[in-house]
Amino acid sequence: MPEPVSDEQFRMLARFRASLRRFLHFSEEAARAAGLTPQQHQALLALRGQDEPMTIGQIALELAVRPHSAVGLVDRLAANGLVERFRSESDRRQVRVRLTTEGQSALASLAAAHRAELRRVGPELAELLAVLGREP
């Protein structure tokens, strides 16, 4: 049987969801202001967040999209000079994707804006998470 949820926790869940949505809205608008779609921003972030260049399949998994959608996304990013494809040295059949210098620069600007926004909203999110983690 599910654990009961108190009235206060329902209020906090509603506030938490609204806060997350505001952050996502901020993120989407920041990406658009930088000339990217939110999905392109997420792809750049996924690539930068890995230790090794990713395959199209890995990008698709990370973004929860179908591989053919990831191909189109990478095509558009490559056309804008933000990523490049290359053959894996360990398996020449495998194509990997990495950020270009331009991609790194675009992502760095967006990351700085996101960190500033998270510093602003972080205390509220932490408070809400603390309340939600308590027993009802």
Side-chain angles (χ1 to χ4, degrees), residues 47-121:
L47 286 163
R48 181 63 178 89
Q50 299 297 316
D51 291 331
E52 299 289 327
M54 298 172 77
T55 64
I56 294 289
Q58 291 168 322
I59 293 168
L61 283 172
E62 187 72 20
L63 275 59
V65 298
R66 293 201 167 126
H68 71 274
S69 297
V71 168
L73 179 61
V74 169
D75 285 346
R76 289 185 294 281
L77 288 168
N80 289 327
L82 300 172
V83 301
E84 61 185 0
R85 290 181 172 95
F86 68 98
R87 294 234 174 247
S88 171
E89 291 189 21
S90 61
D91 182 352
R92 301 293 293 162
R93 296 169 297 173
Q94 210 172 55
V95 174
R96 296 203 170 259
V97 180
R98 67 178 158 222
L99 294 176
T100 62
T101 303
E102 293 83 5
Q104 291 175 12
S105 178
L107 187 58
S109 296
L110 279 167
H114 280 72
R115 286 189 62 201
E117 181 66 6
L118 283 170
R119 280 193 290 275
R120 190 183 72 72
V121 301

Coordinates of all heavy atoms in Angstrom, one line a residue, residues 47-121:
L47 N 26.3 15.6 -24.6 CA 27.7 15.3 -25.1 C 28.8 15.8 -24.2 O 29.8 15.1 -23.9 CB 27.8 16.0 -26.5 CG 27.1 15.3 -27.6 CD1 27.0 16.3 -28.8 CD2 27.8 14.0 -28.0
R48 N 28.6 17.0 -23.6 CA 29.6 17.6 -22.7 C 29.6 16.8 -21.4 O 30.7 16.8 -20.7 CB 29.3 19.1 -22.5 CG 30.3 19.8 -21.6 CD 31.6 19.8 -22.2 NE 32.6 20.5 -21.4 CZ 33.3 20.0 -20.4 NH1 33.2 18.7 -20.1 NH2 34.1 20.7 -19.7
G49 N 28.5 16.2 -21.0 CA 28.4 15.6 -19.7 C 29.1 14.2 -19.7 O 29.1 13.5 -18.6
Q50 N 29.5 13.7 -20.8 CA 30.1 12.4 -20.9 C 31.7 12.5 -21.0 O 32.2 13.5 -21.5 CB 29.6 11.6 -22.1 CG 28.1 11.4 -22.1 CD 27.7 10.5 -21.0 OE1 28.3 9.5 -20.7 NE2 26.6 10.9 -20.3
D51 N 32.3 11.5 -20.5 CA 33.8 11.5 -20.6 C 34.3 11.2 -22.0 O 35.4 11.6 -22.4 CB 34.4 10.4 -19.7 CG 34.2 10.8 -18.2 OD1 34.1 12.0 -17.9 OD2 34.1 9.9 -17.4
E52 N 33.5 10.5 -22.8 CA 33.8 10.1 -24.2 C 32.8 10.6 -25.2 O 31.6 10.7 -24.8 CB 33.9 8.5 -24.3 CG 34.9 7.9 -23.3 CD 36.3 8.1 -23.8 OE1 36.6 8.2 -25.0 OE2 37.2 8.2 -22.9
P53 N 33.2 10.8 -26.4 CA 32.2 11.1 -27.4 C 31.1 10.0 -27.5 O 31.4 8.9 -27.2 CB 33.0 11.2 -28.7 CG 34.4 11.5 -28.3 CD 34.6 10.8 -27.0
M54 N 29.9 10.4 -27.9 CA 28.8 9.5 -27.9 C 28.4 9.1 -29.3 O 28.7 9.8 -30.3 CB 27.6 10.2 -27.3 CG 27.8 10.6 -25.8 SD 26.4 11.7 -25.2 CE 25.2 10.4 -24.9
T55 N 27.8 7.9 -29.4 CA 27.2 7.4 -30.6 C 25.8 8.1 -30.7 O 25.2 8.6 -29.8 CB 27.1 5.9 -30.6 OG1 26.1 5.5 -29.6 CG2 28.4 5.2 -30.4
I56 N 25.3 8.0 -31.9 CA 23.9 8.5 -32.1 C 22.9 7.7 -31.2 O 22.0 8.3 -30.6 CB 23.5 8.3 -33.6 CG1 24.3 9.2 -34.5 CG2 22.0 8.5 -33.8 CD1 24.0 10.7 -34.4
G57 N 23.1 6.4 -31.1 CA 22.3 5.6 -30.2 C 22.3 6.0 -28.8 O 21.3 6.1 -28.1
Q58 N 23.5 6.4 -28.3 CA 23.7 6.9 -26.9 C 23.0 8.2 -26.8 O 22.3 8.5 -25.7 CB 25.1 7.0 -26.5 CG 25.8 5.7 -26.4 CD 27.3 5.8 -26.3 OE1 27.9 6.6 -27.0 NE2 27.9 4.9 -25.5
I59 N 23.1 9.1 -27.8 CA 22.4 10.4 -27.7 C 20.9 10.2 -27.7 O 20.2 10.8 -26.9 CB 22.8 11.3 -28.9 CG1 24.3 11.6 -28.8 CG2 21.9 12.5 -29.0 CD1 24.9 12.3 -30.0
A60 N 20.4 9.2 -28.5 CA 19.0 8.9 -28.5 C 18.5 8.5 -27.1 O 17.5 8.9 -26.7 CB 18.7 7.9 -29.6
L61 N 19.2 7.6 -26.5 CA 18.9 7.1 -25.2 C 18.9 8.2 -24.2 O 18.0 8.3 -23.3 CB 19.8 6.0 -24.7 CG 19.6 4.6 -25.4 CD1 20.8 3.7 -25.0 CD2 18.3 4.0 -24.9
E62 N 19.9 9.0 -24.2 CA 20.1 10.1 -23.2 C 18.9 11.1 -23.4 O 18.4 11.7 -22.4 CB 21.4 10.8 -23.4 CG 21.7 11.9 -22.4 CD 22.1 11.3 -21.1 OE1 22.5 10.1 -21.0 OE2 22.0 12.1 -20.1
L63 N 18.5 11.4 -24.6 CA 17.4 12.4 -24.8 C 16.0 11.7 -24.9 O 15.0 12.4 -25.0 CB 17.7 13.2 -26.1 CG 18.6 14.4 -26.0 CD1 19.9 14.1 -25.4 CD2 18.7 15.1 -27.3
A64 N 16.0 10.4 -24.8 CA 14.7 9.7 -24.8 C 14.0 10.0 -26.1 O 12.8 10.3 -26.1 CB 13.8 10.0 -23.6
V65 N 14.7 9.9 -27.2 CA 14.1 10.0 -28.6 C 14.5 8.8 -29.4 O 15.4 8.0 -29.0 CB 14.6 11.3 -29.3 CG1 14.2 12.6 -28.5 CG2 16.1 11.3 -29.5
R66 N 13.9 8.7 -30.5 CA 14.2 7.6 -31.4 C 15.5 7.9 -32.2 O 15.8 9.0 -32.4 CB 13.1 7.4 -32.4 CG 11.8 6.9 -31.7 CD 10.9 6.2 -32.7 NE 9.9 5.5 -32.0 CZ 8.6 5.7 -32.2 NH1 8.2 6.5 -33.1 NH2 7.7 5.0 -31.5
P67 N 16.2 6.8 -32.5 CA 17.5 7.1 -33.2 C 17.4 7.9 -34.4 O 18.3 8.8 -34.6 CB 18.0 5.6 -33.6 CG 17.4 4.8 -32.5 CD 16.0 5.4 -32.2
H68 N 16.4 7.8 -35.2 CA 16.3 8.6 -36.4 C 16.1 10.1 -36.1 O 16.5 11.0 -36.8 CB 15.2 8.1 -37.4 CG 13.8 8.3 -37.0 ND1 13.2 7.4 -36.1 CD2 12.9 9.3 -37.2 CE1 11.9 7.9 -35.9 NE2 11.8 9.0 -36.5
S69 N 15.4 10.4 -34.9 CA 15.3 11.7 -34.5 C 16.6 12.3 -34.0 O 16.9 13.5 -34.3 CB 14.3 11.8 -33.3 OG 13.0 11.4 -33.8
A70 N 17.4 11.4 -33.4 CA 18.8 11.8 -32.9 C 19.7 12.1 -34.1 O 20.4 13.1 -34.1 CB 19.4 10.8 -32.0
V71 N 19.5 11.4 -35.2 CA 20.3 11.6 -36.4 C 19.9 13.0 -37.0 O 20.8 13.8 -37.3 CB 20.0 10.5 -37.5 CG1 20.5 11.0 -38.9 CG2 20.6 9.2 -37.1
G72 N 18.7 13.3 -37.1 CA 18.3 14.7 -37.5 C 18.8 15.8 -36.7 O 19.2 16.8 -37.1
L73 N 18.7 15.6 -35.4 CA 19.2 16.5 -34.4 C 20.7 16.8 -34.6 O 21.2 17.9 -34.7 CB 18.9 16.0 -33.0 CG 19.3 16.9 -31.8 CD1 18.7 18.3 -31.9 CD2 19.0 16.2 -30.5
V74 N 21.5 15.7 -34.7 CA 22.9 15.8 -34.9 C 23.2 16.4 -36.3 O 24.1 17.3 -36.4 CB 23.6 14.4 -34.7 CG1 25.1 14.5 -35.2 CG2 23.5 14.0 -33.3
D75 N 22.4 16.1 -37.3 CA 22.6 16.7 -38.6 C 22.5 18.3 -38.5 O 23.3 19.0 -39.0 CB 21.5 16.2 -39.6 CG 21.8 14.8 -40.1 OD1 22.9 14.3 -39.9 OD2 20.8 14.3 -40.7
R76 N 21.5 18.7 -37.8 CA 21.3 20.2 -37.6 C 22.4 20.8 -36.8 O 22.9 21.9 -37.1 CB 19.9 20.5 -37.0 CG 18.8 20.2 -38.0 CD 17.4 20.5 -37.5 NE 16.9 19.8 -36.4 CZ 16.5 18.5 -36.4 NH1 16.4 17.9 -37.6 NH2 16.1 17.9 -35.3
L77 N 22.8 20.1 -35.7 CA 23.9 20.7 -34.9 C 25.2 20.7 -35.7 O 26.0 21.7 -35.6 CB 24.1 19.8 -33.7 CG 23.0 20.0 -32.6 CD1 23.1 18.9 -31.5 CD2 23.1 21.3 -31.9
A78 N 25.4 19.7 -36.5 CA 26.7 19.7 -37.4 C 26.6 20.8 -38.4 O 27.6 21.4 -38.7 CB 26.8 18.3 -38.0
A79 N 25.4 21.0 -39.0 CA 25.3 22.0 -40.0 C 25.5 23.4 -39.4 O 26.0 24.3 -40.2 CB 23.9 22.0 -40.6
N80 N 25.3 23.6 -38.2 CA 25.6 24.8 -37.5 C 27.0 24.9 -36.9 O 27.3 25.9 -36.2 CB 24.5 25.1 -36.4 CG 23.2 25.4 -37.0 OD1 23.0 26.0 -38.0 ND2 22.1 25.0 -36.3
G81 N 27.8 23.9 -37.1 CA 29.1 23.9 -36.7 C 29.3 23.6 -35.2 O 30.4 23.9 -34.6
L82 N 28.3 23.1 -34.5 CA 28.4 22.9 -33.1 C 28.9 21.5 -32.7 O 29.4 21.3 -31.5 CB 27.0 23.1 -32.5 CG 26.4 24.5 -32.7 CD1 25.0 24.7 -32.2 CD2 27.3 25.6 -32.0
V83 N 28.7 20.5 -33.6 CA 29.2 19.2 -33.3 C 29.9 18.7 -34.6 O 29.7 19.2 -35.7 CB 28.1 18.2 -32.9 CG1 27.4 18.6 -31.6 CG2 27.1 17.9 -34.0
E84 N 30.7 17.6 -34.4 CA 31.2 16.9 -35.6 C 31.2 15.4 -35.3 O 31.2 14.9 -34.2 CB 32.7 17.4 -35.8 CG 33.6 17.1 -34.7 CD 35.0 17.6 -34.9 OE1 35.2 18.3 -36.0 OE2 35.9 17.4 -34.1
R85 N 31.0 14.7 -36.4 CA 31.0 13.2 -36.4 C 32.4 12.8 -36.8 O 33.1 13.4 -37.6 CB 30.1 12.7 -37.5 CG 28.6 12.9 -37.2 CD 27.8 12.3 -38.3 NE 26.4 12.3 -38.1 CZ 25.6 13.2 -38.5 NH1 26.0 14.2 -39.2 NH2 24.3 13.1 -38.2
F86 N 32.8 11.6 -36.2 CA 34.1 11.0 -36.6 C 34.0 9.5 -36.3 O 33.2 9.0 -35.5 CB 35.2 11.6 -35.8 CG 35.2 11.3 -34.3 CD1 36.0 10.3 -33.8 CD2 34.4 12.1 -33.5 CE1 35.9 10.1 -32.4 CE2 34.4 11.8 -32.1 CZ 35.1 10.8 -31.6
R87 N 34.8 8.7 -37.0 CA 34.8 7.3 -36.8 C 35.6 6.9 -35.6 O 36.7 7.5 -35.3 CB 35.5 6.6 -38.1 CG 34.7 6.8 -39.3 CD 34.4 5.5 -39.9 NE 33.5 5.7 -41.0 CZ 32.2 5.2 -41.1 NH1 31.8 4.6 -40.1 NH2 31.5 5.5 -42.1
S88 N 35.1 6.0 -34.8 CA 35.8 5.5 -33.7 C 37.1 4.8 -34.1 O 37.1 4.1 -35.0 CB 34.9 4.5 -32.9 OG 35.6 3.9 -31.9
E89 N 38.1 5.1 -33.3 CA 39.4 4.4 -33.6 C 39.4 3.0 -33.2 O 40.0 2.1 -33.9 CB 40.6 5.2 -32.9 CG 40.8 6.5 -33.5 CD 42.0 7.2 -33.0 OE1 42.9 6.5 -32.5 OE2 42.1 8.4 -33.1
S90 N 38.6 2.6 -32.2 CA 38.6 1.2 -31.7 C 37.7 0.4 -32.6 O 37.9 -0.9 -32.7 CB 38.2 1.1 -30.3 OG 36.9 1.7 -30.1
D91 N 36.7 1.0 -33.2 CA 35.7 0.2 -34.1 C 35.3 1.2 -35.2 O 34.4 2.0 -35.1 CB 34.5 -0.2 -33.3 CG 33.5 -1.0 -34.1 OD1 33.7 -1.1 -35.4 OD2 32.6 -1.5 -33.5
R92 N 36.0 1.0 -36.3 CA 35.8 2.0 -37.5 C 34.4 2.0 -38.0 O 34.0 2.9 -38.7 CB 36.8 1.6 -38.6 CG 38.3 1.7 -38.2 CD 38.8 3.1 -37.8 NE 38.8 3.9 -39.0 CZ 38.8 5.2 -38.9 NH1 38.8 5.8 -37.8 NH2 38.8 6.0 -40.0
R93 N 33.6 1.0 -37.7 CA 32.2 1.0 -38.1 C 31.3 2.0 -37.3 O 30.3 2.4 -37.7 CB 31.6 -0.4 -37.9 CG 32.2 -1.5 -38.8 CD 31.8 -2.9 -38.4 NE 32.2 -3.1 -37.0 CZ 31.9 -4.1 -36.3 NH1 31.1 -5.1 -36.8 NH2 32.3 -4.3 -35.1
Q94 N 31.8 2.3 -36.2 CA 31.1 3.2 -35.2 C 31.4 4.7 -35.5 O 32.5 5.1 -35.5 CB 31.4 2.8 -33.8 CG 30.4 3.0 -32.8 CD 30.8 2.4 -31.5 OE1 31.8 2.8 -31.0 NE2 30.0 1.5 -30.9
V95 N 30.3 5.4 -35.6 CA 30.5 6.9 -35.7 C 30.1 7.5 -34.4 O 29.1 7.2 -33.7 CB 29.5 7.4 -36.8 CG1 29.6 9.0 -36.9 CG2 29.9 6.8 -38.2
R96 N 31.0 8.4 -34.0 CA 30.8 9.1 -32.7 C 30.6 10.6 -33.0 O 30.9 11.1 -34.0 CB 32.0 8.9 -31.8 CG 32.1 7.4 -31.4 CD 32.9 7.2 -30.1 NE 32.8 5.8 -29.7 CZ 32.0 5.4 -28.7 NH1 31.2 6.3 -28.1 NH2 31.9 4.2 -28.3
V97 N 30.1 11.3 -32.0 CA 29.8 12.7 -32.1 C 30.5 13.4 -30.9 O 30.5 13.0 -29.8 CB 28.3 13.0 -32.0 CG1 28.0 14.4 -32.1 CG2 27.5 12.1 -33.1
R98 N 31.1 14.6 -31.2 CA 31.7 15.4 -30.2 C 31.4 16.9 -30.5 O 31.1 17.3 -31.6 CB 33.2 15.1 -30.1 CG 34.0 15.6 -31.3 CD 35.5 15.3 -31.1 NE 36.1 15.3 -32.5 CZ 37.0 14.4 -32.8 NH1 37.4 13.5 -32.0 NH2 37.5 14.4 -34.0
L99 N 31.5 17.7 -29.4 CA 31.4 19.1 -29.6 C 32.5 19.7 -30.3 O 33.7 19.3 -30.1 CB 31.3 19.7 -28.2 CG 30.1 19.4 -27.3 CD1 30.3 20.1 -25.9 CD2 28.8 19.9 -27.9
T100 N 32.3 20.7 -31.1 CA 33.3 21.6 -31.7 C 33.6 22.7 -30.7 O 32.9 22.8 -29.7 CB 32.8 22.2 -33.0 OG1 31.7 23.0 -32.7 CG2 32.5 21.1 -34.0
T101 N 34.6 23.5 -31.0 CA 34.9 24.6 -30.2 C 33.7 25.6 -30.1 O 33.4 26.1 -29.0 CB 36.2 25.4 -30.8 OG1 37.2 24.5 -30.8 CG2 36.5 26.6 -29.9
E102 N 33.0 25.7 -31.2 CA 31.8 26.6 -31.2 C 30.7 26.0 -30.3 O 30.0 26.7 -29.6 CB 31.3 26.8 -32.7 CG 32.2 27.5 -33.6 CD 33.3 26.7 -34.2 OE1 33.3 25.4 -34.0 OE2 34.2 27.3 -34.9
G103 N 30.6 24.7 -30.4 CA 29.6 24.0 -29.5 C 29.9 24.2 -28.1 O 29.1 24.4 -27.2
Q104 N 31.2 24.1 -27.7 CA 31.6 24.2 -26.4 C 31.4 25.7 -25.9 O 30.9 25.9 -24.7 CB 33.1 23.9 -26.2 CG 33.4 22.4 -26.4 CD 34.9 22.1 -26.4 OE1 35.7 22.9 -26.0 NE2 35.2 20.9 -26.8
S105 N 31.6 26.6 -26.7 CA 31.4 28.0 -26.4 C 29.9 28.3 -26.2 O 29.6 29.0 -25.2 CB 32.0 28.9 -27.5 OG 31.8 30.3 -27.2
A106 N 29.1 27.8 -27.1 CA 27.7 28.1 -26.9 C 27.1 27.4 -25.6 O 26.4 28.0 -24.9 CB 26.9 27.5 -28.1
L107 N 27.6 26.2 -25.4 CA 27.2 25.5 -24.2 C 27.7 26.2 -22.9 O 27.0 26.3 -21.9 CB 27.6 24.1 -24.2 CG 27.1 23.2 -23.1 CD1 25.6 23.2 -23.1 CD2 27.6 21.8 -23.3
A108 N 28.9 26.7 -22.9 CA 29.5 27.4 -21.7 C 28.6 28.6 -21.3 O 28.3 28.8 -20.1 CB 30.9 27.8 -22.0
S109 N 28.2 29.4 -22.3 CA 27.3 30.5 -22.0 C 26.0 30.1 -21.4 O 25.5 30.7 -20.4 CB 27.1 31.3 -23.3 OG 28.3 31.9 -23.8
L110 N 25.4 29.1 -22.0 CA 24.1 28.6 -21.4 C 24.3 28.0 -20.0 O 23.5 28.2 -19.2 CB 23.5 27.5 -22.4 CG 22.8 28.1 -23.6 CD1 22.5 27.0 -24.6 CD2 21.5 28.8 -23.1
A111 N 25.4 27.3 -19.8 CA 25.7 26.6 -18.5 C 25.8 27.7 -17.4 O 25.3 27.6 -16.3 CB 26.9 25.8 -18.6
A112 N 26.5 28.8 -17.8 CA 26.7 29.9 -16.8 C 25.3 30.5 -16.4 O 25.0 30.7 -15.2 CB 27.6 31.0 -17.4
A113 N 24.4 30.7 -17.4 CA 23.1 31.2 -17.1 C 22.3 30.3 -16.3 O 21.6 30.7 -15.4 CB 22.4 31.5 -18.5
H114 N 22.4 29.0 -16.6 CA 21.7 28.0 -15.8 C 22.1 27.9 -14.4 O 21.4 27.7 -13.5 CB 21.7 26.6 -16.5 CG 20.8 26.5 -17.7 ND1 21.0 27.1 -18.9 CD2 19.6 25.8 -17.8 CE1 20.0 26.9 -19.7 NE2 19.1 26.0 -19.1
R115 N 23.4 27.9 -14.2 CA 24.0 27.9 -12.8 C 23.5 29.1 -12.0 O 23.1 29.0 -10.9 CB 25.5 27.9 -12.9 CG 26.0 26.5 -13.3 CD 27.5 26.3 -13.1 NE 27.8 26.5 -11.7 CZ 29.0 26.8 -11.3 NH1 30.0 27.0 -12.1 NH2 29.3 26.9 -10.0
A116 N 23.4 30.2 -12.7 CA 23.0 31.4 -12.0 C 21.5 31.2 -11.6 O 21.1 31.6 -10.5 CB 23.1 32.7 -12.8
E117 N 20.7 30.7 -12.5 CA 19.3 30.5 -12.2 C 19.1 29.4 -11.1 O 18.3 29.6 -10.2 CB 18.5 30.1 -13.5 CG 17.1 29.8 -13.3 CD 16.2 31.1 -12.9 OE1 16.8 32.2 -12.9 OE2 15.0 30.9 -12.6
L118 N 19.9 28.4 -11.1 CA 19.8 27.4 -10.1 C 20.2 27.9 -8.7 O 19.7 27.5 -7.7 CB 20.7 26.2 -10.5 CG 20.0 25.2 -11.5 CD1 21.1 24.2 -12.0 CD2 18.8 24.6 -10.9
R119 N 21.2 28.8 -8.7 CA 21.6 29.4 -7.4 C 20.4 30.2 -6.9 O 20.2 30.3 -5.7 CB 22.8 30.3 -7.6 CG 24.1 29.6 -7.6 CD 25.3 30.5 -7.4 NE 25.6 31.3 -8.6 CZ 26.2 30.9 -9.7 NH1 26.8 29.7 -9.7 NH2 26.4 31.7 -10.7
R120 N 19.6 30.8 -7.8 CA 18.5 31.6 -7.4 C 17.3 30.7 -6.9 O 16.8 31.0 -5.8 CB 18.0 32.5 -8.6 CG 16.9 33.5 -8.2 CD 16.4 34.3 -9.4 NE 15.6 33.4 -10.3 CZ 14.3 33.1 -10.0 NH1 13.8 33.4 -8.8 NH2 13.6 32.3 -10.8
V121 N 17.0 29.6 -7.6 CA 15.9 28.8 -7.2 C 16.3 27.6 -6.3 O 15.4 27.0 -5.7 CB 15.1 28.3 -8.4 CG1 14.6 29.5 -9.3 CG2 15.9 27.4 -9.3

